Amino acid sequence: MANMFPLSSDGQDPANLRDINEPLIDHSEGQLFLNEAFKIIIEEVLCKGTDVKQKVCEWKGPEDLALLLDLELRAEGEPQQRLLQRVKDVAKYSIKTSHPRFFNQLFAGVDYHALAGRFLSEALNTNLFTYEVAPVFVLMETEVLRSLRQLVGWTEGDGIFCPGGSTSNMFAMNLARYRLFPEVKSQGLWAVPRLTIFTSAESHYSVKKGAAFLGIGTDNITVVKVDEGGRIIPEDLDEKIKLTKSRGAVPLLVSCTSGTTVRGAFDPLDRIADICEKHNVWMHVDAAWGGSVLFSEQHRHLMKGVARANSVAWNPHKMLMAGLQCSALLLQDTTNLLKKCHSANATYLFQQDKFYDVNLDVGDKTVQCSRKVDCLKLWLMWKAVGSIGLAERVDKAFNLVRYLVEQMKKREGFHLLWEPEFLNVCFWFIPPSMRGKEGNADYQDRLANVAPVIKERMIKQGTMMVGYQPLGDKVNFFRMIVLSTLVSKEDMDFSLDEIERLGNDL
Amino acid sequence: MANMFPLSSDGQDPANLRDINEPLIDHSEGQLFLNEAFKIIIEEVLCKGTDVKQKVCEWKGPEDLALLLDLELRAEGEPQQRLLQRVKDVAKYSIKTSHPRFFNQLFAGVDYHALAGRFLSEALNTNLFTYEVAPVFVLMETEVLRSLRQLVGWTEGDGIFCPGGSTSNMFAMNLARYRLFPEVKSQGLWAVPRLTIFTSAESHYSVKKGAAFLGIGTDNITVVKVDEGGRIIPEDLDEKIKLTKSRGAVPLLVSCTSGTTVRGAFDPLDRIADICEKHNVWMHVDAAWGGSVLFSEQHRHLMKGVARANSVAWNPHKMLMAGLQCSALLLQDTTNLLKKCHSANATYLFQQDKFYDVNLDVGDKTVQCSRKVDCLKLWLMWKAVGSIGLAERVDKAFNLVRYLVEQMKKREGFHLLWEPEFLNVCFWFIPPSMRGKEGNADYQDRLANVAPVIKERMIKQGTMMVGYQPLGDKVNFFRMIVLSTLVSKEDMDFSLDEIERLGNDL
């Protein structure tokens, strides 16, 4: 970028030579470009990207990819055709997360109504802080939150969309803290006793990150024991809360999980609620992953007791396929705690002498200023298929998982670690050379290496994507997430065949 | 939603009656819908929405609007035609923030290349946490951050895109805290002495929100005096840091502003840097609004000294028109402070035994887990017009402001509060009935009421949008933000005519 600011021959800045009426952007030319880019998106991302005959990913190492993409930003602009080629290249070398063989994360698939809502949100380019500038979205967010709360079992309450479940979890901590000690907002943590957060070792890492970020510190998280299924043991929670109190610290919040990240376990909410009530501790449910079971009559029992929580974090961008990001924090509170806790009352934005009800200016409920519109995509998708359609998606995913597990049990090399409670299928693939040799000294070391090698091969060949990790004393195992409605039995069978093909020689 | 879960006649959940191979989503039908929605977006948002002959907003009060939009979410889905009508309605009743007469916020206008990048990001629906799942965007974000840092004046450093400038400011606070007291991450604020943050009364409210959220508390913000132009007085800063130290608290961070929210003032960075260096205090520059002057040879002097800062928050979604959100936090640090401070080392995501360099897994640098791709829109726009094109936009906006101010001075009723240093034009409109009556007892009260009434009228008629607020002892005044390259002299003249038309009878 040595020539980032070339001067014209007379030393004047080139912009000053132009008339200030010159718009610098040509609408029809711009719309033409957008139209061409849209065609590429349809073709490369939505047609090819969802076609099982195409690759999930076109792997390149970082050096090769950087060279291919020519990422450097320069002084001069580029012609439209070259820019369209860049759009194509970005699409080509990006992972196709909507591909039926992408099982790598807690999101996948594509919903076209949601996607239309996302394009519309982007084009409208507004900021969800005041009714003045986002009238439609202030009302829509309120209604979407109300409908989500209704599924939780609350007829009243509050809430807000956050940039991800981690933020929702942090908000819950901050609200719990403010409820107990409102002076913390002005005086900081030095003015209050030591606070303790309770969660299981299998909860999401955002509990740790949140405790650190909010100044509480990760040492002030007490880890509660889990049962063989990865679910909090309520008795242990009770004991640890008592112990905390006896040591003079204040139990702040229990962060339960509905759908843990690795195993997909659901903590027993009803029994945890008993304990939280007894000790007057804020009960937060991190249902970022599992919350969507609330749509299903058949599976909502997994979250029995959720209505007794103080707060619930739920990400419809995960299994409902609303698109990143769509993360709701739902609250039972009716005392305006969210606004009291987070507000700064900026007079330039939240003027009190407006001609409409200033309670519609929801922006002061969050610690963000600019806040994206994340409700439209969910709203439009929900309007399109109804609660019944969303329930069907949930049920279908469970059924596919059941099918996958059945098939897995029929094959010799697949060792399921736990019967899945949710959509996380955790298993080892045991290559033929290792079968029956569990007693060997190097067995665990060898096993730990199987998943990484198979993963490398599948990525480099682009045939499928599935995650792996260790957990506790279990060495690396695959965690296959089955959530997309676009997935079929054939994709399940393929996945097992493919893992065998990639790992049989190990 | 009483019928949210209707059962089929035999009491079975309807999803179970379907074959699990049924995809539930039809790609060609979905793409057809997306195509129709795209046409509506082009027509309603991008053609009509940028046409001066059309309204900026179609005002409806909340009750009327809720009725019109039929927001309720139901059990059953809706036909495609009705959904397309909903897309139209959302577009119709939303504010046209790209309209040449939208001067209401620190964002406006539209850039078609950025918008194409945004659509592509949405369609690719990925998560910027690992190279595995976002190879293109990991490299692209690195390059965009590098180029932004280069404009700051750093050849090395670190950074990350955040969901808004408020988050960037909070990250800076957390990094400053961790640099001084790394034990705070595990032990919390109880383990460290009281910390103090310094900023001016005219800085953004996110400094307050951040201090509260991070557990530091708003009382531990020391407000530094500003001069007549709204800029920090370095001598006062120096004194207040000394005073803080003498009282046993630890000066943590000075949050300077480049482009304050109301006045557009630029704090004197070079002189503040002297003081920060002397006292070893973290120097953060909130350049969310003003940062883009760095593209302009003519105006970058406003941020002279920025290269001496520890961190800079810069939102290209504001005056560069990259689209909400695009917020970079830039760091001079080369010791991996960002990752050390924020990481939780989750083994399910950031496995250390991957086959590629795991330093490419940037997700542990943030407190988010899911993180949207915010670099592509800026990258594509930058590729399209080059640094020269972006500089032209900055220069044009300054020139338009100069023109607006000249015209304002020629008219009787417009009273400029300060000569603008940036793109914020702050003025009172004095209706004819009030002119020459500054001495009257009710003058200030009447004046305070002028802007709200004119604002109400302009919104209800939909002709333009401009913000107002009080500041210190100045009663409500307009703050007109001129940043879009799509704005002409004619729009400037129109705005003044329109304010006269709407306010002459007051």
Side-chain angles (χ1 to χ4, degrees):
Chain A
M1 292 206 301
N3 288 322
M4 197 173 251
F5 307 112
L7 299 178
S8 57
S9 55
D10 60 354
Q12 264 204 289
D13 188 272
N16 283 340
L17 305 176
R18 295 207 188 178
D19 187 277
I20 61 169
N21 266 339
E22 197 177 327
L24 302 183
I25 285 174
D26 180 317
H27 282 295
S28 46
E29 201 183 273
Q31 287 166 18
L32 201 67
F33 181 84
L34 191 62
N35 212 50
E36 293 303 310
F38 180 75
K39 284 185 206 159
I40 295 171
I41 291 170
I42 291 280
E43 181 57 28
E44 298 292 325
V45 183
L46 300 170
C47 289
K48 286 194 202 165
T50 58
D51 180 355
V52 288
K53 294 186 293 296
Q54 303 281 336
K55 288 184 178 180
V56 179
C57 58
E58 185 67 50
W59 171 261
K60 297 284 171 193
E63 295 78 17
D64 292 345
L65 185 56
L67 213 62
L68 271 167
L69 293 172
D70 174 32
L71 292 164
E72 193 188 344
L73 296 162
R74 307 191 179 89
E76 306 280 346
E78 294 184 351
Q80 304 303 302
Q81 279 313 312
R82 192 181 306 167
L83 294 165
L84 287 172
Q85 185 58 48
R86 294 193 178 284
V87 169
K88 257 187 220 167
D89 289 344
V90 168
K92 180 174 178 186
Y93 295 108
S94 287
I95 305 302
K96 305 303 179 300
T97 65
S98 305
H99 195 285
R101 286 159 191 182
F102 178 82
F103 308 104
N104 208 65
Q105 317 286 158
L106 304 183
F107 63 92
V110 60
D111 178 281
Y112 291 95
H113 296 100
L115 192 53
R118 295 160 77 188
F119 284 9
L120 181 55
S121 303
E122 293 295 323
L124 285 167
N125 194 43
T126 200
N127 209 323
L128 196 29
F129 45 40
T130 62
Y131 185 78
E132 180 179 321
V133 85
V136 171
F137 302 124
V138 164
L139 300 181
M140 188 181 282
E141 182 175 64
T142 305
E143 184 61 22
V144 173
L145 290 169
R146 198 182 69 78
S147 302
L148 292 174
R149 276 198 309 268
Q150 211 160 357
L151 289 162
V152 167
W154 297 331
T155 52
E156 288 182 300
D158 202 349
I160 195 151
F161 277 90
C162 293
S166 299
T167 305
S168 298
N169 290 345
M170 282 196 266
F171 278 19
M173 290 179 198
N174 198 34
L175 291 167
R177 181 166 75 173
Y178 182 82
R179 182 183 67 155
L180 283 187
F181 303 105
E183 65 272 28
V184 77
K185 185 175 174 180
S186 55
Q187 298 175 35
L189 282 169
W190 298 282
V192 309
R194 191 175 294 271
L195 306 170
T196 304
I197 291 166
F198 301 85
T199 197
S200 86
E202 301 200 12
S203 70
H204 190 254
Y205 68 81
S206 54
V207 178
K208 272 193 202 169
K209 289 203 174 190
F213 198 64
L214 269 70
I216 293 169
T218 52
D219 288 353
N220 292 309
I221 298 173
T222 293
V223 176
V224 183
K225 283 186 197 155
V226 294
D227 65 16
E228 75 297 340
R231 294 168 293 252
I232 277 182
I233 299 173
E235 293 74 16
D236 189 58
L237 173 63
D238 191 33
E239 266 174 48
K240 283 186 171 144
I241 292 178
K242 284 180 196 157
L243 194 66
T244 296
K245 284 181 168 175
S246 74
R247 288 176 177 166
V250 173
L252 177 66
L253 168 139
V254 177
S255 190
C256 328
T257 314
S258 290
T260 56
T261 314
V262 176
R263 291 214 238 184
F266 285 77
D267 287 333
L269 302 183
D270 238 347
R271 295 182 57 207
I272 292 171
D274 293 340
I275 295 163
C276 288
E277 279 170 16
K278 187 170 87 177
H279 295 288
N280 187 30
V281 181
W282 184 287
M283 177 174 165
H284 174 63
V285 181
D286 177 355
W289 170 221
S292 301
V293 299
L294 293 172
F295 275 98
S296 160
E297 273 301 83
Q298 206 183 337
H299 300 289
R300 53 179 290 124
H301 67 87
L302 288 166
M303 289 181 67
K304 190 167 174 292
V306 65
R308 298 170 67 191
N310 296 89
S311 53
V312 177
W314 177 357
N315 291 6
H317 71 231
K318 293 188 156 74
M319 78 167 300
L320 294 183
M321 307 194 303
L324 287 157
Q325 294 199 16
C326 189
S327 300
L329 174 69
L330 306 172
L331 299 169
Q332 195 178 28
D333 173 74
T334 55
T335 67
N336 215 10
L337 194 66
L338 192 55
K339 192 166 177 179
K340 286 179 197 156
C341 178
H342 288 156
S343 62
N345 305 307
T347 49
Y348 82 91
L349 194 57
F350 304 114
Q351 304 95 322
Q352 296 302 300
D353 53 5
K354 287 181 179 175
F355 66 93
Y356 61 80
D357 176 4
V358 293
N359 286 316
L360 293 164
D361 291 352
V362 294
D364 225 10
K365 288 186 180 186
T366 174
V367 300
Q368 298 187 273
C369 176
S370 294
R371 189 162 67 95
K372 276 188 82 81
V373 171
D374 288 331
C375 56
L376 172 58
K377 49 196 166 191
L378 176 56
W379 180 82
L380 196 61
M381 177 173 87
W382 199 331
K383 279 283 190 192
V385 300
S387 309
I388 297 176
L390 296 175
E392 280 180 342
R393 293 185 187 180
V394 175
D395 292 339
K396 179 183 165 173
F398 273 92
N399 291 339
L400 273 168
V401 163
R402 200 179 331 173
Y403 175 81
L404 176 66
V405 167
E406 278 164 15
Q407 297 310 307
M408 219 172 249
K409 287 178 178 172
K410 289 180 190 163
R411 301 193 185 213
E412 207 186 342
F414 292 86
H415 181 103
L416 202 64
L417 277 90
W418 308 279
E419 283 296 323
E421 190 171 7
F422 193 35
L423 311 179
N424 311 37
V425 182
C426 297
F427 62 93
W428 282 305
F429 174 71
I430 321 283
S433 73
M434 291 178 62
R435 292 177 198 162
K437 299 186 179 157
E438 289 77 4
N440 287 10
D442 65 345
Y443 184 85
Q444 293 297 326
D445 289 346
R446 283 185 64 194
L447 185 58
N449 200 37
V450 171
V453 171
I454 294 178
K455 176 73 179 264
E456 176 173 357
R457 291 175 177 180
M458 69 172 66
I459 286 191
K460 287 189 170 165
Q461 296 179 31
T463 49
M464 66 179 282
M465 280 180 77
V466 56
Y468 73 84
Q469 67 287 298
L471 182 74
D473 60 351
K474 314 288 189 205
V475 300
N476 280 327
F477 55 89
F478 285 112
R479 180 201 65 170
M480 184 160 162
I481 300 290
V482 181
L483 70 90
S484 163
T485 70
L486 302 163
V487 167
S488 67
K489 285 180 186 176
E490 194 189 276
D491 298 311
M492 301 291 92
D493 295 335
F494 171 85
S495 305
L496 300 181
D497 291 344
E498 184 65 4
I499 288 171
E500 284 176 352
R501 185 183 74 83
L502 295 168
N504 264 344
D505 65 327
L506 294 176
Chain B
M1 294 206 300
N3 288 321
M4 196 173 251
F5 306 111
L7 299 178
S8 58
S9 55
D10 60 354
Q12 263 204 287
D13 188 89
N16 283 341
L17 304 176
R18 295 205 187 178
D19 186 278
I20 60 169
N21 266 337
E22 197 178 327
L24 302 181
I25 285 175
D26 179 317
H27 283 293
S28 46
E29 201 183 274
Q31 288 168 17
L32 201 67
F33 181 84
L34 191 62
N35 213 48
E36 293 303 309
F38 180 75
K39 285 185 206 159
I40 295 170
I41 290 170
I42 292 279
E43 181 57 29
E44 299 292 325
V45 183
L46 300 171
C47 288
K48 287 194 202 164
T50 57
D51 179 357
V52 289
K53 295 187 292 294
Q54 303 280 337
K55 288 183 177 181
V56 179
C57 59
E58 186 67 50
W59 171 261
K60 298 284 170 193
E63 295 79 14
D64 293 346
L65 185 57
L67 213 62
L68 271 167
L69 293 174
D70 175 32
L71 293 165
E72 194 188 341
L73 296 162
R74 306 191 180 89
E76 304 280 346
E78 295 184 352
Q80 304 304 302
Q81 280 311 312
R82 192 182 303 166
L83 294 166
L84 288 172
Q85 185 57 47
R86 294 193 179 282
V87 169
K88 257 186 218 168
D89 289 344
V90 168
K92 180 174 178 184
Y93 295 108
S94 287
I95 306 301
K96 305 303 178 299
T97 64
S98 304
H99 195 285
R101 285 155 193 185
F102 178 82
F103 308 103
N104 208 65
Q105 315 291 154
L106 303 184
F107 62 93
V110 60
D111 178 280
Y112 291 95
H113 296 99
L115 192 54
R118 294 159 78 188
F119 284 9
L120 180 56
S121 303
E122 293 295 324
L124 285 168
N125 194 44
T126 201
N127 210 324
L128 196 28
F129 45 40
T130 61
Y131 185 77
E132 179 179 323
V133 85
V136 171
F137 302 125
V138 163
L139 299 181
M140 188 182 281
E141 183 175 64
T142 304
E143 183 62 22
V144 173
L145 290 168
R146 198 182 68 80
S147 302
L148 292 173
R149 277 199 308 269
Q150 210 159 0
L151 288 162
V152 167
W154 296 332
T155 50
E156 288 184 299
D158 202 350
I160 195 152
F161 277 89
C162 292
S166 299
T167 304
S168 299
N169 290 344
M170 282 195 267
F171 278 19
M173 289 178 198
N174 199 35
L175 292 168
R177 182 165 76 173
Y178 182 82
R179 183 184 64 155
L180 283 187
F181 303 105
E183 65 271 30
V184 78
K185 185 175 175 181
S186 55
Q187 298 176 34
L189 282 168
W190 298 283
V192 309
R194 192 174 293 271
L195 306 171
T196 304
I197 289 166
F198 300 84
T199 197
S200 86
E202 302 200 11
S203 71
H204 190 254
Y205 69 81
S206 54
V207 179
K208 273 193 202 169
K209 290 203 174 191
F213 198 64
L214 269 68
I216 293 169
T218 52
D219 289 353
N220 292 310
I221 298 174
T222 293
V223 175
V224 182
K225 283 186 197 156
V226 293
D227 65 17
E228 74 297 339
R231 295 169 291 252
I232 278 182
I233 299 173
E235 292 75 15
D236 189 59
L237 173 64
D238 191 33
E239 268 175 45
K240 284 186 170 146
I241 291 179
K242 284 180 197 156
L243 194 66
T244 295
K245 283 180 169 177
S246 72
R247 288 178 178 164
V250 173
L252 177 66
L253 167 139
V254 177
S255 189
C256 328
T257 314
S258 289
T260 58
T261 314
V262 176
R263 291 214 236 184
F266 285 76
D267 286 333
L269 303 183
D270 237 347
R271 295 183 57 207
I272 293 172
D274 292 340
I275 296 163
C276 288
E277 280 171 16
K278 188 170 86 178
H279 296 287
N280 188 29
V281 181
W282 185 286
M283 177 174 166
H284 174 63
V285 181
D286 176 356
W289 171 220
S292 300
V293 301
L294 292 173
F295 275 98
S296 161
E297 273 299 85
Q298 206 183 338
H299 299 291
R300 55 179 290 124
H301 68 86
L302 289 166
M303 289 181 69
K304 191 168 173 291
V306 66
R308 299 172 66 191
N310 296 89
S311 54
V312 176
W314 177 358
N315 291 6
H317 72 231
K318 293 188 157 71
M319 78 167 302
L320 294 183
M321 309 195 301
L324 286 155
Q325 294 198 18
C326 188
S327 300
L329 174 68
L330 306 173
L331 299 169
Q332 195 178 26
D333 173 75
T334 54
T335 67
N336 215 11
L337 194 66
L338 192 55
K339 192 164 178 183
K340 287 179 196 157
C341 177
H342 288 157
S343 62
N345 305 307
T347 48
Y348 81 91
L349 195 56
F350 304 114
Q351 304 94 320
Q352 296 302 300
D353 52 5
K354 288 182 179 175
F355 65 93
Y356 59 81
D357 176 5
V358 293
N359 287 315
L360 292 165
D361 290 352
V362 294
D364 225 11
K365 289 187 180 186
T366 174
V367 299
Q368 299 187 274
C369 177
S370 294
R371 188 162 67 95
K372 276 189 81 82
V373 171
D374 288 332
C375 56
L376 172 59
K377 49 195 167 190
L378 176 56
W379 181 82
L380 196 60
M381 177 173 88
W382 198 332
K383 280 283 190 192
V385 301
S387 308
I388 297 176
L390 296 175
E392 280 181 342
R393 292 185 188 179
V394 174
D395 291 339
K396 180 184 163 173
F398 272 93
N399 290 339
L400 273 167
V401 163
R402 200 181 330 172
Y403 175 82
L404 177 66
V405 167
E406 278 164 14
Q407 297 311 307
M408 218 171 248
K409 287 179 177 170
K410 288 179 189 162
R411 300 195 186 210
E412 208 186 342
F414 292 85
H415 181 103
L416 201 65
L417 277 89
W418 308 279
E419 284 297 324
E421 191 172 4
F422 193 35
L423 310 179
N424 310 38
V425 183
C426 297
F427 62 92
W428 282 304
F429 175 71
I430 321 284
S433 73
M434 289 178 62
R435 292 177 197 163
K437 299 186 179 156
E438 290 77 4
N440 287 11
D442 66 344
Y443 185 84
Q444 292 297 326
D445 287 347
R446 284 186 62 195
L447 185 59
N449 200 35
V450 170
V453 171
I454 294 177
K455 176 72 180 265
E456 176 173 357
R457 290 175 178 179
M458 69 172 68
I459 286 192
K460 287 189 169 166
Q461 296 179 31
T463 49
M464 66 179 282
M465 280 181 76
V466 55
Y468 73 84
Q469 68 285 300
L471 183 73
D473 60 351
K474 314 290 189 203
V475 298
N476 279 328
F477 56 88
F478 286 113
R479 180 201 65 169
M480 185 159 160
I481 300 290
V482 181
L483 70 89
S484 161
T485 70
L486 302 164
V487 167
S488 67
K489 285 180 184 174
E490 196 188 273
D491 298 311
M492 300 290 94
D493 295 336
F494 170 85
S495 305
L496 300 180
D497 290 345
E498 183 64 5
I499 289 171
E500 284 175 350
R501 184 181 77 82
L502 294 168
N504 264 343
D505 65 327
L506 294 177

